[in-house]
Amino acid sequence: MKRIITRETICPKCKGEGRVYDMDGIVFTAGIGFLLQVITPETKDICPQCGGTGKVYYETIIENE
Ligand SMILES: [Zn+2]
């Protein structure tokens, strides 16, 4: 008999925020960005790991003999 346990964990990539900074974009536009004050939430991208939910789910299969 198998049981599947789903565990909910805070996404390690975005630390539960659901979005990650686009580091390449920030580095590239850092000087101009600070001058124009255009660093806003729009400079963040939705986390590819959790799809923006901030949570990831692990499925663990427990097999009882
Ligand atoms: Zn995430």
Side-chain angles (χ1 to χ4, degrees), residues 11-16 18-20 47-52 54-56:
C11 176
K13 190 173 182 67
C14 64
K15 306 288 192 295
R19 286 171 181 267
V20 289
C47 177
Q49 183 120 3
C50 61
K55 293 170 186 170
V56 288

Side-chain angles (χ1 to χ4, degrees), residues 26-46:
I26 286 178
V27 170
F28 184 71
T29 60
I32 299 171
F34 282 120
L35 283 174
L36 300 179
Q37 297 183 329
V38 294
I39 294 186
T40 63
E42 279 79 35
T43 60
K44 283 181 162 185
D45 289 329
I46 290 174

Side-chain angles (χ1 to χ4, degrees), residues 3-19:
R3 285 195 303 157
I4 299 176
I5 295 176
T6 304
R7 288 191 296 172
E8 184 182 293
T9 307
I10 290 174
C11 176
K13 190 173 182 67
C14 64
K15 306 288 192 295
E17 289 188 16
R19 286 171 181 267

